[in-house]
Amino acid sequence: MEYKQRTVTCGQLRKSDEGKHVVLNGWVHRDRNHGGIHFINLRDRYGITQVVVGESADQSVRGIADRLHVEYCIAVEGIVHARPDSMVNPDMPTGEVEVEVTGLQILSSCEPVPFMIDDESDAKEDTRLRYRYLDLRSGGMQRRIKLRHDFVRAIREFLSDRDFYEIETPTLMRSTPEGARDFLVPSRLYPGKFYALPQSPQLLKQILMVSGFDKYFQIARCYRDEDARGDRQLEFTQLDMEMSFVKRDDVLEIMEELFGYVFKKVMDVELPAKFTRLSWYDAMNTYGVDKPDLRYDLPLVDVDDIARSSSFGTFKTVLESGGCVKAIKAPSSEGVAYSRKYITALEEAAKIYGAKGLAWMKVGAGNSLEGGVSKFFDGLQSKLLDRMGAQEGDMILFVADQWKKTCNSLGAVRIKLAKDLGLIDPKAFAFCWIIDFPLFEYNEERGHWEAAHHMFSMPQSQYLDTLESDPGSVKGDLYDLVLNGYEVASGSIRIHDVELQKRIFRICNIPDEQAEERFGFLLNAFRYGPPPHGGIAPGIDRMVMIMAGETSIKEVIAFPKNTAAVSPMDESPSYVDQNQLDDLHLIIKQPKKAE
Ligand code: ASP
């Protein structure tokens, strides 16, 4: 089909273009017909321009205009006019002009749309995903996809300027489970053998270090066959990085510089040159989580000593059995009344993490302690108020239990309070590093120790002699980057010594033969002069989500799966032909139908 190609985009025209003869291509965003005059908002990726089919237009042009509907793709030829002052639309960059249409062509028609293309769609998520091609036309999705592009581009710029090489690693590789379940790809050529889609390029990037590529990055797709839960996707993108001859602080510094550069470039936001660093213990102890949102403070405060002097039996029993008592101050607020009902809602938040209850007291007139457990704190009032920095109108909330349970439960109360009291600045970006993580976690179900991050992370040197005798107290050279309460990256200095690597495998219940079978290629590489190395991998989807002020990564992924791990647009996963199964030597064992 011959058609007029655009000479300008729909976001381009200004008053200074008055009188120009132009061609625009785009979609009919809105079409208002006022007494035979069509005011059409024509839209493309760059913006919206008003084009007008007036009474003086050619009969054929008017005829075509009458056939238009929303989302028709059209070519418009016309003359740019300045709008009269009273008609200027200050909300549109092109609002000072309109185009008087002299030629009009329908490039393609559009069926009635399932939802209007607006800045943000209010259609149900599954409808948006089924018609993702339409949803992606919305202003919001277009901005977010651009933000993602700008973000990745700035990363590439910065790292390339710092001598990093971008190196691709295979997406078909050996299955080396990293914690989650692998996606497997059956081999047609080798019946019964499988490739796996990488959970991350972890081992390959370490091998690249052995090969001397001392600064590596990749915008890498990672695959994890996990149950659909929360805001997870089966595949996600991370900025995978690895460097040789670095220590922990070198990695942290390059990341601070990277994100400083990227946030300035993409959002014009100035980040602090250094991010706060918290040890895992301090993060847990003070904020109740290992990914604290530092846009607000609300610390958890240790009150063991005060609780011990009180006459509250419950607290004393917990302390005697090795537990602890912590408190948080809920500051007085105009928006939230500390009613019984509200305290119960806070208690529910605490109970999710195992707390048996939430004790409370209020600070009343003249700083007297009132209600709840206050009667057990006679004579301890000023000490408690001092410790908590509390004053009239505030409330003090307590959890008493084993340390971790206490931290997690009161941490959940902290988050709820911050949300409800409006303490969170939605425009702020609060980065922090969490360091000195435990290297191992005990898996009660499996009955053995497992790596808290992954098995390739280096234990801190002071624990090398006690790895086997006391795995629970070993700290690793691990670090997480946290942004606004989300873990956005994790990484570590790696082991580069075969013997040490095998010791870690053994502690994680992987005997030598099994280690050679599963990770032999890595161990072999480590027999050929591996350099000391370390790395990190920020999640691209999550970071862009936070930058865009969104709460779901689906908002920053062009074609995500829904929460049931299904893509409503192409209806994957789908059945395949018997021929395909035969080629792959596969027989499907149907799960038993529920009775
Ligand atoms: N491979 C790790 C992950 O995906 C990140 C890293 O240690 O670099 O979590």
Side-chain angles (χ1 to χ4, degrees):
M1 178 179 70
E2 278 302 314
Y3 74 98
K4 294 268 186 189
Q5 278 180 291
R6 64 183 171 192
T7 56
V8 292
T9 70
C10 298
Q12 194 175 333
L13 295 173
R14 300 289 181 272
K15 205 168 180 178
S16 54
D17 295 305
E18 198 177 351
K20 280 192 187 152
H21 177 250
V22 294
V23 179
L24 299 129
N25 298 153
W27 287 266
V28 176
H29 187 63
R30 299 284 186 272
D31 175 14
R32 284 166 293 130
N33 188 338
H34 286 305
I37 304 179
H38 286 270
F39 293 90
I40 300 165
N41 278 353
L42 192 66
R43 188 195 70 237
D44 66 9
R45 207 184 100 185
Y46 308 90
I48 292 180
T49 298
Q50 175 161 289
V51 305
V52 184
V53 182
E55 275 163 344
S56 56
D58 217 68
Q59 201 51 43
S60 65
V61 170
R62 294 172 58 123
I64 295 170
D66 286 341
R67 285 168 33 216
L68 294 180
H69 291 287
V70 286
E71 300 308 316
Y72 271 43
C73 185
I74 62 175
V76 169
E77 193 172 2
I79 312 288
V80 182
H81 292 300
R83 294 197 206 180
D85 282 350
S86 61
M87 306 280 274
V88 165
N89 181 347
D91 297 333
M92 276 166 79
T94 61
E96 286 183 316
V97 296
E98 60 189 19
V99 172
E100 182 199 346
V101 179
T102 56
L104 191 58
Q105 188 183 5
I106 294 175
L107 305 180
S108 64
S109 63
C110 177
E111 293 188 5
V113 285
F115 48 83
M116 290 300 281
I117 310 303
D118 275 315
D119 201 48
E120 296 294 349
S121 166
D122 55 7
K124 286 214 177 71
E125 183 174 279
D126 255 33
T127 312
R128 288 180 61 198
L129 294 182
R130 180 170 303 280
Y131 299 95
R132 191 60 157 178
Y133 33 85
L134 293 179
D135 189 47
L136 287 169
R137 288 182 189 173
S138 68
M141 282 309 305
Q142 297 255 325
R143 275 195 303 280
R144 291 191 285 275
I145 295 294
K146 174 179 179 342
L147 175 67
R148 185 178 177 123
H149 164 80
D150 292 345
F151 180 68
V152 171
R153 177 187 170 146
I155 289 172
R156 286 200 158 105
E157 267 168 22
F158 177 89
L159 292 176
S160 306
D161 287 349
R162 296 298 181 97
D163 286 336
F164 281 75
Y165 284 171
E166 182 169 4
I167 307 177
E168 287 172 87
T169 52
T171 42
L172 294 178
M173 59 175 297
R174 188 189 175 87
S175 171
T176 52
E178 261 180 59
R181 200 176 287 119
D182 276 341
F183 273 104
L184 298 176
V185 180
S187 162
R188 179 179 57 81
L189 296 177
Y190 301 97
K193 290 194 172 180
F194 292 82
Y195 300 97
L197 305 182
Q199 293 185 27
S200 85
Q202 182 62 36
L203 300 186
L204 295 167
K205 69 175 170 177
Q206 291 192 243
I207 289 175
L208 284 171
M209 296 302 110
V210 180
S211 306
F213 292 107
D214 63 353
K215 293 178 183 180
Y216 145 92
F217 82 99
Q218 179 177 196
I219 306 297
R221 194 61 70 83
C222 304
Y223 305 86
R224 297 184 188 175
D225 188 2
E226 292 177 311
D227 289 338
R229 163 153 69 92
D231 192 30
R232 293 214 179 150
Q233 289 284 311
L234 302 177
E235 52 186 310
F236 58 90
T237 310
Q238 69 187 21
L239 162 61
D240 197 45
M241 293 174 65
E242 198 73 11
M243 289 155 266
S244 295
F245 312 118
V246 287
K247 299 217 165 132
R248 181 194 72 191
D249 287 359
D250 300 311
V251 180
L252 304 199
E253 275 160 29
I254 189 104
M255 298 313 286
E256 286 163 350
E257 284 175 40
L258 167 68
F259 287 123
Y261 174 85
V262 170
F263 272 64
K264 179 74 194 154
K265 176 113 198 203
V266 175
M267 317 254 306
D268 200 22
V269 166
E270 208 75 59
L271 296 182
K274 296 264 165 249
F275 302 161
T276 305
R277 289 184 192 186
L278 285 171
S279 70
W280 172 84
Y281 178 84
D282 286 344
M284 290 292 294
N285 201 46
T286 314
Y287 301 106
V289 269
D290 58 6
K291 46 182 180 181
D293 190 341
L294 296 187
R295 285 175 297 174
Y296 53 92
D297 199 19
L298 286 188
L300 318 186
V301 181
D302 293 324
V303 293
D304 282 0
D305 53 334
I306 302 178
R308 200 168 281 123
S309 319
S310 77
S311 54
F312 190 34
T314 312
F315 283 178
K316 293 180 149 198
T317 316
V318 168
L319 289 169
E320 273 156 25
S321 64
C324 66
V325 183
K326 283 175 167 290
I328 189 169
K329 177 183 84 175
S332 69
S333 155
E334 291 192 353
V336 177
Y338 293 131
S339 60
R340 277 296 166 97
K341 193 166 164 219
Y342 185 66
I343 296 172
T344 308
L346 290 174
E347 185 164 39
E348 291 309 314
K351 281 183 171 171
I352 294 173
Y353 290 88
K356 287 176 208 70
L358 186 67
W360 59 272
M361 59 179 75
K362 289 183 183 172
V363 187
N367 279 349
S368 60
L369 298 178
E370 295 169 2
V373 297
S374 61
K375 57 178 177 286
F376 302 112
F377 284 74
D378 262 0
L380 293 166
Q381 168 194 349
S382 61
K383 200 165 179 197
L384 191 57
L385 291 180
D386 262 11
R387 179 77 53 87
M388 301 305 299
Q391 53 191 355
E392 189 175 330
D394 297 344
M395 191 170 58
I396 304 174
L397 302 153
F398 303 82
V399 171
D401 215 307
Q402 296 308 310
W403 177 75
K404 207 160 175 199
K405 226 182 244 181
T406 305
C407 295
N408 287 152
S409 307
L410 212 50
V413 173
R414 172 179 178 267
I415 293 174
K416 180 165 169 56
L417 277 173
K419 283 188 185 147
D420 295 346
L421 301 181
L423 301 180
I424 305 173
D425 172 1
K427 292 217 155 48
F429 295 103
F431 279 95
C432 72
W433 290 109
I434 309 297
I435 54 178
D436 298 336
F437 277 86
L439 191 65
F440 300 105
E441 275 167 7
Y442 194 73
N443 186 325
E444 299 284 349
E445 230 169 79
R446 298 199 179 136
H448 62 76
W449 292 94
E450 284 182 342
H453 178 205
H454 55 52
M455 290 183 290
F456 313 103
S457 300
M458 185 75 107
Q460 292 182 5
S461 55
Q462 66 272 33
Y463 300 99
L464 283 177
D465 294 336
T466 53
L467 289 185
E468 288 81 0
S469 57
D470 189 9
S473 64
V474 177
K475 299 274 189 303
D477 231 343
L478 309 175
Y479 30 85
D480 272 6
L481 183 61
V482 173
L483 170 57
N484 294 359
Y486 291 95
E487 178 202 314
V488 291
S490 52
S492 58
I493 296 301
R494 324 295 186 188
I495 297 166
H496 64 279
D497 172 80
V498 177
E499 281 319 308
L500 180 56
Q501 185 64 72
K502 283 185 169 174
R503 283 174 69 193
I504 301 290
F505 285 148
R506 278 182 223 125
I507 295 170
C508 298
N509 203 30
I510 302 183
D512 289 3
E513 317 78 71
Q514 209 180 325
E516 286 293 344
E517 191 191 313
R518 275 169 66 184
F519 303 106
F521 64 106
L522 179 76
L523 297 175
N524 282 340
F526 280 179
R527 293 182 174 110
Y528 294 90
H533 59 285
I536 188 164
I540 302 267
D541 311 286
R542 209 174 266 178
M543 286 210 68
V544 178
M545 174 194 91
I546 299 168
M547 291 164 86
E550 293 292 335
T551 51
S552 164
I553 58 171
K554 295 192 201 85
E555 296 298 343
V556 299
I557 298 174
F559 300 107
K561 307 275 184 289
N562 67 13
T563 26
V566 166
S567 166
M569 185 178 76
D570 62 6
E571 296 183 325
S572 62
S574 63
Y575 293 110
V576 295
D577 293 344
Q578 188 58 44
N579 292 345
Q580 290 174 287
L581 292 176
D582 292 345
D583 277 350
L584 295 171
H585 325 282
L586 291 180
I587 296 171
I588 301 298
K589 191 171 136 201
Q590 290 294 350
K592 281 208 191 91
K593 291 228 169 71
E595 301 285 300

